Amino acid sequence: LNSYLQQLSFSYRANGDWKGEWETLEKRLQVAGRTPQGAAGYQLNIYQNMVLAAARHGSLDQARDILAKSERLASDLPPRMQQGFRDTARAQVIRMRAIVAQESGRFTEAEAASREALAVVSPLVPQEAMLGFPIGILANLRDAIGEDIAAALMRQNRLIEAEAEIRRSLLSR
């Protein structure tokens, strides 16, 4: 059900239906709350999408509130959780910080945070099958972070660097 709702929220985003996307993300959060195993990972992924949606639609206070929840959730991960999962959670939280910074006009900070998130997630991509992630999930995250870097560079009017970053994301497969 969670995968279906995730795809549905992506389609709402692609069609510019922020309300539909937000309602679907809230449903995903309810479903994740009923999932005993892996609930924290699902919740962080949903929070990441909620921060992205809220920030890009001008609801920065809401994005900051969700970021704070995400940081608390990530800091409360079980100590025995596999390091790859902890690193994925860390990369998602760092990406959320970058998104909030970007939409707040702090482009240099957004670029630095995005590069930090990319450095965390990139080594995990070859391990996604070992970690139990569906193939392509971490590669998609890596590529989305690359897009975030390019967007931060564009907002700084560093267009040649932005083009190089987006090309790297597009050609990484």
Side-chain angles (χ1 to χ4, degrees), residues 94-162:
I94 296 168
R95 181 178 186 223
M96 287 183 247
R97 287 183 199 138
I99 290 166
V100 169
Q102 171 128 335
E103 298 304 323
S104 299
R106 300 185 326 266
F107 307 124
T108 305
E109 183 182 330
E111 177 194 353
S114 294
R115 289 189 187 282
E116 182 183 354
L118 186 64
V120 172
V121 81
S122 290
L124 298 174
V125 173
Q127 302 173 25
E128 56 188 357
M130 279 187 346
L131 292 168
F133 287 108
I135 300 299
I137 294 292
L138 295 178
N140 289 342
L141 177 59
R142 177 199 58 207
D143 295 345
I145 294 168
E147 293 170 23
D148 296 342
I149 293 169
L153 290 167
M154 282 184 359
R155 303 285 276 291
Q156 296 174 66
N157 205 26
R158 294 165 55 193
L159 302 179
I160 294 172
E161 293 170 83

Side-chain angles (χ1 to χ4, degrees), residues 5-137:
L5 290 172
Q6 182 179 37
Q7 295 304 313
L8 184 60
S9 70
F10 290 162
S11 68
Y12 281 130
R13 181 186 307 158
N15 288 313
D17 183 355
W18 187 70
K19 185 179 178 194
E21 178 186 9
W22 192 261
E23 289 171 355
T24 307
L25 288 169
E26 287 178 331
K27 287 177 190 169
R28 282 187 67 204
L29 204 51
Q30 291 172 359
V31 170
R34 294 190 302 251
T35 307
Q37 196 155 16
Y42 283 133
Q43 286 175 339
L44 281 170
N45 177 264
I46 298 163
Y47 283 154
Q48 177 183 234
N49 286 292
M50 291 177 104
V51 166
L52 181 66
R56 298 221 167 127
H57 289 91
S59 301
L60 285 173
D61 289 336
Q62 192 173 27
R64 286 184 190 104
D65 290 344
I66 297 165
L67 172 59
K69 288 179 187 177
S70 301
E71 289 174 331
R72 281 192 302 275
L73 181 62
S75 69
D76 291 340
L77 291 175
R80 293 181 187 212
M81 181 177 269
Q82 202 172 5
Q83 189 61 43
F85 291 114
R86 294 171 95 52
D87 289 343
T88 302
R90 188 168 139 242
Q92 289 183 43
V93 170
I94 296 168
R95 181 178 186 223
M96 287 183 247
R97 287 183 199 138
I99 290 166
V100 169
Q102 171 128 335
E103 298 304 323
S104 299
R106 300 185 326 266
F107 307 124
T108 305
E109 183 182 330
E111 177 194 353
S114 294
R115 289 189 187 282
E116 182 183 354
L118 186 64
V120 172
V121 81
S122 290
L124 298 174
V125 173
Q127 302 173 25
E128 56 188 357
M130 279 187 346
L131 292 168
F133 287 108
I135 300 299
I137 294 292

